[in-house]
Amino acid sequence: MQTITISKEFKRSTTKAILSIAFFVLVYLLLIIAAIALTIVCGYAGIMLIAVKPMILTIMVGIGLIGMGVLLIFFLIKFIFSKNETDNSHLIEITREQQPQLFTFIDDIVKEVNTDFPKKVYISSQVNASVFYDSGFWSMFFPVKKNLHIGLGLMNAVTVNEFKGILAHEFGHFSQRSMKVGSYVYNVNYVLHNMLHDNTGYSNIISRWASISGYFSIFVAGGIKLIGGIQWVLGNVYKVVNINYMALSREMEFHADEVAANVAGPEALATSLVRLDLANHALNTVLDFYAGKIEHNIKPDDIFAQHHFVMSHSGHEYGLHFEHGLPQVTLATKNRFNKSKLAFDDQWASHPSDNDRIKRLELLNIKVENTDNRPALDLFVNVEKIRTEVTGNLFSGIEYTAATTVHAAHDFNTEFELARAKNLLPKKYNNFYDDLPLAPVNLDKLSLTDRTFSEKELFSQNSVNLVYEIKGIEYDLSVIRRIESGEVTLTSFDYEGIRYNRHSTYQLIPSLQAILLDKKLELDEHSRKIYAYYLNSSQAKGLINEYKEKYRMYQHNHKNLENNIALLTEMYNLTEFTNQSTPYEVIEANIEKVYNKEKELKEAIKSLTEDATFISLNDTKANEAFKVYLELDKPYFSNPVYNDPALRILFSALHYYNVTIHNIDFKFKKDFLDFQATLNNN
């Protein structure tokens, strides 16, 4: 492997990350010194007060002063007494004796990268591979052996050579001295998180202390104010540490990519990189499918057959080219519907964008011979047993109500295709309607004389691009408005290659609003052409009245959807306080508002359950959630505690109401578009 030079940006990012950690240590030591000094002053004042005039009042005030100082010191060191346990129950360790072929494969990569073999190798179901280690206080000072985690969902989606590139990338991290900086940042973050967020036990201690005496509660209140100031300081330190480390992390990814390119070739890493989103989506689709089978006590014995089927099925739907049995995703296909023209460096991102990584890889003039394009899972001995074991571990935490039935892959394939067909719009539309509600048009006033265009022209790629250009501008405007308001902190950003800062957004926003309006008018005009075209077709077939009725039913229901979304939004806003720390009297006032508004919600849900369209959906989970909610007759709050079971019933009903109204809207939309597609079969 050729020598890889460390870039100036890498060195600069490493230096900034180290300096930010040093900054944290300095600030923390100053806070400790200040807390100790305050404790000494409070202790001296308390003792002198008692000594000068010993009585109940001075004794209580003196103890309160001493206690306030002690509570401050304890707050700053309480992270020492907390436990940090990592849950690795989703991982299965494998050994060289069990998998000699895979371990030999790893040996070769380790030698080529010139790093150490991992301490342990684990497998899971995930579409991922990663380096991890037990990071504790002592890991900052002594070498720690790293572990390797390999996801079978990843191996199921790549070739042996692509897998080689992915592992070489991970081992590239093994060889990075800057990984030590990561250990320091991890521990700094652990300390900061403990003091900023993990305060339940500490709050209980000070509450008990304050409840002993009204005198103590006064000093506890003062201590809480001081702690709030400390947290404000540490919160800003957290930003400094992590912004600098994230910049380093992105450079570490570029460096590891170059290592991988030297081992397996740039193309191997690039092709697998853009396919992983599709693979991850496919695995989540399969998991969602089997989540719906829990109540029927059905589960798979090998989820990876289903995973590969869904990934291939999606590849065919998107019209992707296949090589070596895998869909070949490209940046162009991945970004087909992303028309955003906004560009900026995300300072909180730990990884560079796929676009940036692939651009860097393309600049590397590296050739690798003898690529192995077998499925990566072929590296396992007795792969069927491994797949079954990982699947069993994945489903081991689910509580079934009876003995389970194994769901065969061919049964899954059949059910999946049937379910998918119910949610797919005709291909002739070329994804034009996928994210687009049907435009409101008065069909009776459309001219039926003009039919000089064809279906292919109506749903050309230019027409589809218009839909997603509008979505891109809407997204860009929302982000730029957040930048203007200060909600998103950026020093500058690019739009269509022109540099802007927060104070120059006033020039860009009106311009984008005007462009957006023009694009929407263009889309409206195009939609009228589409309706006119199909009105002609429906008239020729004697189906014009049916065409208009289906369109009217969709628009009527879509109007209901908008009203129902408004009701849902209001309910979610009214119940937001349940996730916050709120005074009792405020809770009671807010709960009363919820009770008043949910009368409307219950009426809406009751009407929905009696609607023929909802009944036709045959959604047993939604039905049960609505039934339990409509029968609920318990308060959400009984001072001083929430009724958590009742709140769970409410939020379950809100969730299923949201899902159901969108499912019904799509049902009417699909019914209309399916009918429209049959009007011209040329």
Side-chain angles (χ1 to χ4, degrees):
M1 187 175 75
Q2 69 182 43
T3 303
I4 298 173
T5 57
I6 303 298
S7 68
K8 290 181 180 179
E9 187 59 39
F10 197 149
K11 292 177 182 177
R12 186 159 48 246
S13 296
T14 303
T15 301
K16 285 183 178 179
I18 293 170
L19 289 174
S20 64
I21 293 169
F23 174 62
F24 161 76
V25 172
L26 175 63
V27 171
Y28 181 73
L29 288 175
L30 289 173
L31 288 172
I32 285 285
I33 292 168
I36 292 172
L38 181 62
T39 302
I40 292 171
V41 170
C42 289
Y44 178 78
I47 292 169
M48 291 302 296
L49 186 63
I50 295 168
V52 170
K53 197 169 185 180
M55 54 188 291
I56 293 296
L57 176 61
T58 56
I59 291 172
M60 298 302 284
V61 171
I63 295 173
L65 278 168
I66 296 168
M68 183 175 72
V70 171
L71 287 174
L72 281 175
I73 291 178
F74 180 64
F75 174 78
L76 288 168
I77 64 171
K78 66 185 176 72
F79 67 88
I80 297 172
F81 306 100
S82 64
K83 294 182 179 179
N84 182 29
E85 297 179 356
T86 304
D87 180 18
N88 290 328
S89 60
H90 64 294
L91 302 178
I92 299 173
E93 184 182 355
I94 55 174
T95 64
R96 187 178 293 274
E97 291 72 25
Q98 295 169 332
Q99 297 296 331
Q101 186 176 333
L102 177 63
F103 273 68
T104 300
F105 180 78
I106 296 172
D107 280 332
D108 293 340
I109 300 172
V110 164
K111 289 175 185 175
E112 195 161 358
V113 176
N114 191 26
T115 188
D116 298 325
F117 196 90
K119 178 184 177 183
K120 293 181 179 180
V121 179
Y122 296 92
I123 56 175
S124 77
S125 62
Q126 297 175 6
V127 182
N128 189 25
S130 60
V131 171
F132 72 98
Y133 52 94
D134 301 320
S135 184
F137 179 76
W138 295 110
S139 69
M140 293 192 292
F141 307 102
F142 297 101
V144 178
K145 290 277 283 183
K146 285 83 173 178
N147 302 308
L148 176 65
H149 158 236
I150 303 168
L152 263 65
L154 168 73
M155 295 184 71
N156 202 32
V158 296
T159 65
V160 170
N161 195 57
E162 289 172 333
F163 182 55
K164 185 178 184 180
I166 291 167
L167 287 193
H169 173 97
E170 296 306 323
F171 289 129
H173 287 309
F174 274 49
S175 64
Q176 290 172 346
R177 292 172 62 188
S178 52
M179 282 287 282
K180 176 62 70 176
V181 179
S183 177
Y184 283 102
V185 173
Y186 176 88
N187 284 281
V188 167
N189 280 342
Y190 173 68
V191 171
L192 287 167
H193 184 274
N194 181 273
M195 288 188 280
L196 291 171
H197 306 293
D198 190 10
N199 292 306
T200 303
Y202 182 77
S203 297
N204 291 336
I205 291 172
I206 62 176
S207 294
R208 286 197 295 270
W209 171 252
S211 65
I212 295 173
S213 166
Y215 295 109
F216 294 169
S217 65
I218 295 171
F219 293 101
V220 165
I224 290 172
K225 287 285 187 184
L226 291 171
I227 288 169
I230 292 172
Q231 288 179 317
W232 180 85
V233 171
L234 293 175
N236 285 285
V237 172
Y238 172 85
K239 291 178 182 177
V240 173
V241 171
N242 282 278
I243 285 175
N244 284 320
Y245 179 66
M246 289 304 164
L248 172 60
S249 179
R250 293 191 292 274
E251 289 301 319
M252 289 166 66
E253 291 300 319
F254 285 132
H255 177 269
D257 280 351
E258 190 170 349
V259 171
N262 274 272
V263 173
E267 187 178 352
L269 191 61
T271 55
S272 60
L273 189 63
V274 290
R275 191 185 303 121
L276 294 189
D277 281 347
L278 178 66
N280 200 52
H281 176 73
L283 183 59
N284 288 333
T285 298
V286 176
L287 294 177
D288 288 344
F289 176 89
Y290 283 111
K293 295 289 184 182
I294 293 174
E295 61 182 324
H296 304 295
N297 299 305
I298 293 173
K299 67 177 183 179
D301 61 349
D302 175 8
I303 202 171
F304 301 102
Q306 287 88 318
H307 174 228
H308 197 278
F309 175 81
V310 174
M311 190 167 53
S312 298
H313 193 279
S314 299
H316 288 298
E317 275 186 8
Y318 297 137
L320 300 180
H321 171 64
F322 277 68
E323 286 183 15
H324 319 301
L326 293 169
Q328 301 301 303
V329 185
T330 65
L331 278 178
T333 54
K334 186 175 178 179
N335 297 330
R336 178 186 173 192
F337 301 125
N338 179 15
K339 302 299 179 184
S340 171
K341 297 176 182 177
L342 189 63
F344 55 85
D345 292 328
D346 185 355
Q347 58 188 349
W348 292 103
S350 61
H351 286 59
S353 69
D354 288 350
N355 289 28
D356 289 341
R357 291 177 71 178
I358 290 173
K359 283 178 184 176
R360 287 275 192 108
L361 287 168
E362 288 173 347
L363 293 174
L364 300 173
N365 187 24
I366 299 171
K367 300 290 183 183
V368 174
E369 304 295 333
N370 303 320
T371 59
D372 188 343
N373 294 315
R374 291 176 298 148
L377 285 176
D378 284 3
L379 292 169
F380 282 110
V381 174
N382 198 353
V383 65
E384 292 80 10
K385 181 176 180 294
I386 289 290
R387 289 160 60 138
T388 302
E389 185 180 357
V390 171
T391 300
N393 187 60
L394 177 63
F395 284 82
S396 62
I398 298 174
E399 294 183 7
Y400 293 94
T401 56
T404 56
T405 302
V406 172
H407 197 240
H410 65 269
D411 291 330
F412 170 86
N413 297 351
T414 301
E415 289 186 46
F416 174 80
E417 286 186 319
L418 287 172
R420 189 70 180 144
K422 291 179 181 178
N423 294 302
L424 281 179
L425 299 175
K427 282 189 175 181
K428 65 166 61 180
Y429 296 135
N430 193 25
N431 306 113
F432 180 83
Y433 288 113
D434 286 5
D435 296 307
L436 184 68
L438 304 182
V441 173
N442 187 339
L443 297 185
D444 294 324
K445 293 186 177 181
L446 282 181
S447 170
L448 303 184
T449 57
D450 182 16
R451 193 179 171 178
T452 58
F453 30 76
S454 66
E455 279 185 316
K456 285 188 177 180
E457 289 174 309
L458 291 172
F459 303 111
S460 67
Q461 192 55 49
N462 286 338
S463 302
V464 176
N465 287 344
L466 177 61
V467 174
Y468 289 96
E469 281 172 16
I470 289 171
K471 290 190 173 296
I473 296 170
E474 288 175 336
Y475 168 80
D476 291 345
L477 267 172
S478 68
V479 175
I480 293 168
R481 286 191 179 107
R482 291 170 64 200
I483 294 171
E484 183 184 42
S485 68
E487 185 181 349
V488 173
T489 307
L490 285 176
T491 54
S492 63
F493 63 92
D494 288 350
Y495 195 85
E496 290 191 306
I498 300 174
R499 180 58 57 95
Y500 295 88
N501 58 39
R502 177 185 170 189
H503 302 293
S504 60
T505 53
Y506 74 92
Q507 301 170 319
L508 183 58
I509 290 175
S511 172
L512 287 181
Q513 287 173 327
I515 294 170
L516 180 61
L517 179 59
D518 288 343
K519 293 288 183 184
K520 285 186 173 182
L521 290 173
E522 184 181 348
L523 181 59
D524 288 343
E525 180 58 31
H526 188 74
S527 295
R528 280 191 286 273
K529 286 182 180 180
I530 293 172
Y531 292 131
Y533 177 89
Y534 285 110
L535 273 172
N536 264 309
S537 297
S538 64
Q539 186 178 53
K541 290 192 172 186
L543 298 172
I544 191 166
N545 290 333
E546 189 174 352
Y547 181 72
K548 288 182 176 180
E549 177 60 17
K550 286 184 178 294
Y551 179 77
R552 186 198 64 77
M553 289 172 64
Y554 166 80
Q555 289 296 351
H556 173 74
N557 182 75
H558 193 70
K559 185 64 179 175
N560 289 339
L561 173 69
E562 293 171 354
N563 295 334
N564 290 330
I565 288 174
L567 173 60
L568 267 173
T569 302
E570 194 167 355
M571 280 298 298
Y572 279 126
N573 289 339
L574 286 173
T575 54
E576 190 176 0
F577 71 92
T578 59
N579 299 314
Q580 302 166 352
S581 179
T582 311
Y584 296 145
E585 61 274 12
V586 176
I587 292 175
E588 289 176 334
N590 287 340
I591 286 288
E592 193 59 37
K593 294 177 184 176
V594 172
Y595 289 150
N596 290 333
K597 178 50 71 173
E598 81 166 346
K599 293 174 185 175
E600 185 180 342
L601 176 68
K602 286 194 172 185
E603 279 297 318
I605 289 178
K606 187 174 184 300
S607 297
L608 179 65
T609 58
E610 297 168 353
D611 184 82
T613 307
F614 170 72
I615 294 170
S616 71
L617 293 177
N618 196 27
D619 190 334
T620 54
K621 287 187 176 180
N623 243 326
E624 182 60 26
F626 295 153
K627 182 175 181 294
V628 172
Y629 174 63
L630 292 174
E631 292 174 353
L632 180 66
D633 190 25
K634 293 182 180 178
Y636 298 128
F637 178 73
S638 298
N639 200 337
V641 296
Y642 285 113
N643 183 345
D644 288 330
L647 283 172
R648 281 195 294 271
I649 290 171
L650 168 63
F651 287 121
S652 176
L654 290 172
H655 165 73
Y656 281 108
Y657 189 61
N658 185 35
V659 170
T660 301
I661 60 177
H662 282 91
N663 285 343
I664 290 174
D665 183 69
F666 180 77
K667 183 174 172 43
F668 278 99
K669 176 181 176 180
K670 180 171 170 56
D671 185 49
F672 172 77
L673 292 175
D674 284 349
F675 177 77
Q676 180 176 268
T678 65
L679 295 175
N680 192 326
N681 294 319
N682 296 333

